[in-house]
Amino acid sequence: MNSLFTILKDIQINVPQSQLQHSFVLCGQTQVGKSTIVSKLTSQQIQDQAGLIYTQQKTNIIGYQAVLQYFEISGQAFKQLLTLPLNKQSYQQYSYILVIDLSDNPHEILNICNSEIRYIKEETEKKLQQSIDVDTFKQLELNIYDKIMMHHDKNRIIPSYVPIIIVGWKYDLFSKNLDQESRKWITRGLRYLAHSNNCSLVFGSNQDYQLIRQTLQYHVKPSVSIYQHDHLKQLCITQLSDSIENINLPPSGSNPLDGFNKIIKDQIVAVVNNQKKKKQSKITEEDWNNYKEEKIDRLIKQYEFQQKQTTKQEESVLI
């Protein structure tokens, strides 16, 4: 059986130069949906395994034949294997897919996402500095900064040496289980993280993952940028398509992330408390339904009858 390093070496050789090629490295916490996403995109059944899982797909993108390579890193191996497929031959056709579970711990989503973006960027920069010569690395920096400098938010965007696509998975549960206001602020917070870190952002689910496919195709063969930003629908925003003005930052302090986190936490707590009140009032209402008007009338008549009977008995005793 070939070693992982042999497989990685063969991948670079076996892809014809005439075809588009791109490597996607899926990472994120355990059980967020990485295997499911690869299965949906490739129509291949992916077995749950530890470590690094490799899948290849041949497809057509805007009239071009393309070979897409998916490297899925299990949650536990995130830090050990993150940059393993990245080398001096592949870095120009390479993207990370950071998968976030939208349905799990909504009050922690932004902190988790921010921490993992920072780790990916730090490790990628370190690996590239080791893999390519100084002049090539400087040219890569210039190319990235040239694109960012064309954006009016240039002073608020931190460059990413390898593109990162943030995928918010399980959107169906997210939209079902969270109230509209909470979803709005979580979505705005994710937009801020994506835009300020030069990332793309897209939402999807088992039932609807076509926007993810479109976003990946955009990173393979860039064409018209995608900007679908309705907070009540699935998002799809490619790199540098958003703006701080359109995101609408919270009015608090110098750190927007802290502002988003506070609003999200307060909103979720408020919803929980409101649900408790509704539950209590519902019980009271159900109890009250046991005493509808006709029942009360019956009880009154029964009481009056008993009173008359008592009066008669007392009169008979006096006689």
Side-chain angles (χ1 to χ4, degrees):
M1 182 176 179
N2 290 336
S3 70
L4 179 60
F5 294 98
T6 305
I7 294 171
L8 291 172
K9 183 180 177 182
D10 288 345
I11 287 169
Q12 304 305 323
I13 297 171
N14 293 335
V15 177
Q17 294 300 313
S18 60
Q19 291 182 326
L20 293 176
Q21 53 183 300
H22 205 92
S23 297
F24 293 102
V25 178
L26 287 91
C27 54
Q29 296 189 325
T30 305
Q31 302 297 319
V32 292
K34 298 184 294 292
S35 296
T36 304
I37 291 171
V38 176
S39 295
K40 294 290 183 183
L41 293 173
T42 64
S43 301
Q44 299 179 41
Q45 188 62 38
I46 309 298
Q47 300 294 328
D48 287 336
Q49 300 177 41
L52 189 67
I53 306 166
Y54 172 73
T55 309
Q56 189 180 90
Q57 176 193 23
K58 294 182 179 180
T59 187
N60 187 288
I61 298 177
I62 321 177
Y64 292 86
Q65 291 297 312
V67 176
L68 307 183
Q69 298 143 9
Y70 299 92
F71 296 90
E72 180 198 337
I73 302 173
S74 67
Q76 295 176 345
F78 191 144
K79 293 187 176 180
Q80 292 84 357
L81 301 177
L82 179 66
T83 60
L84 184 60
L86 181 61
N87 55 49
K88 62 182 179 181
Q89 286 84 25
S90 68
Y91 76 92
Q92 290 181 312
Q93 294 87 34
Y94 192 96
S95 299
Y96 285 105
I97 301 175
L98 173 59
V99 184
I100 303 294
D101 184 349
L102 292 173
S103 69
D104 187 37
N105 293 326
H107 57 288
E108 288 293 335
I109 285 178
L110 299 188
N111 288 333
I112 291 170
C113 188
N114 183 47
S115 174
E116 295 184 348
I117 289 172
R118 291 181 65 178
Y119 183 79
I120 291 170
K121 293 171 81 169
E122 288 169 2
E123 292 301 306
T124 301
E125 181 178 356
K126 194 185 302 180
K127 178 68 177 285
L128 283 172
Q129 288 176 334
Q130 295 170 355
S131 302
I132 59 180
D133 60 79
V134 176
D135 290 338
T136 304
F137 186 80
K138 286 182 177 179
Q139 187 59 52
L140 174 62
E141 279 188 314
L142 286 173
N143 293 341
I144 294 168
Y145 275 104
D146 282 346
K147 293 178 182 177
I148 292 175
M149 292 304 289
M150 295 172 65
H151 199 287
H152 55 269
D153 292 332
K154 54 183 178 291
N155 295 325
R156 306 186 72 166
I157 300 173
I158 305 169
S160 177
Y161 293 98
V162 169
I164 301 172
I165 304 162
I166 304 169
V167 173
W169 192 241
K170 303 181 186 178
Y171 175 78
D172 52 337
L173 298 177
F174 176 70
S175 59
K176 177 183 177 182
N177 297 335
L178 282 180
D179 66 289
Q180 191 175 112
E181 194 68 11
S182 297
R183 296 203 313 270
K184 179 183 76 174
W185 285 106
I186 290 171
T187 300
R188 283 182 178 172
L190 288 171
R191 283 177 64 187
Y192 168 73
L193 281 176
H195 181 56
S196 61
N197 284 284
N198 195 26
C199 304
S200 294
L201 174 65
V202 59
F203 288 173
S205 66
N206 282 331
Q207 292 74 34
D208 192 350
Y209 51 90
Q210 293 308 316
L211 287 175
I212 297 176
R213 190 188 301 278
Q214 291 176 31
T215 306
L216 268 55
Q217 290 179 352
Y218 173 85
H219 279 263
V220 177
K221 183 70 177 174
S223 53
V224 180
S225 59
I226 309 170
Y227 186 54
Q228 184 168 314
H229 64 286
D230 188 335
H231 292 135
L232 302 181
K233 298 179 181 178
Q234 289 183 209
L235 288 190
C236 185
I237 303 174
T238 50
Q239 280 180 314
L240 301 176
S241 300
D242 215 338
S243 70
I244 295 296
E245 182 181 2
N246 289 337
I247 293 170
N248 190 12
L249 300 184
S252 58
S254 59
N255 188 340
L257 184 59
D258 290 342
F260 280 118
N261 276 324
K262 185 180 186 309
I263 291 174
I264 291 165
K265 183 179 179 181
D266 291 347
Q267 176 62 25
I268 290 173
V269 168
V271 169
V272 170
N273 290 338
N274 191 39
Q275 288 173 343
K276 286 181 181 178
K277 288 180 182 178
K278 282 185 177 180
K279 189 175 181 182
Q280 290 170 355
S281 63
K282 186 177 180 182
I283 292 171
T284 305
E285 185 179 342
E286 288 175 353
D287 290 341
W288 179 250
N289 285 337
N290 292 325
Y291 301 97
K292 291 183 178 178
E293 189 174 346
E294 59 268 23
K295 290 185 178 181
I296 294 173
D297 289 343
R298 197 178 304 121
L299 287 171
I300 292 172
K301 287 180 180 179
Q302 185 178 349
Y303 174 77
E304 290 175 345
F305 176 78
Q306 288 175 347
Q307 288 293 98
K308 286 179 181 180
Q309 290 295 105
T310 301
T311 303
K312 284 182 180 181
Q313 288 175 1
E314 290 175 349
E315 289 175 349
S316 64
V317 170
L318 289 173
I319 293 170

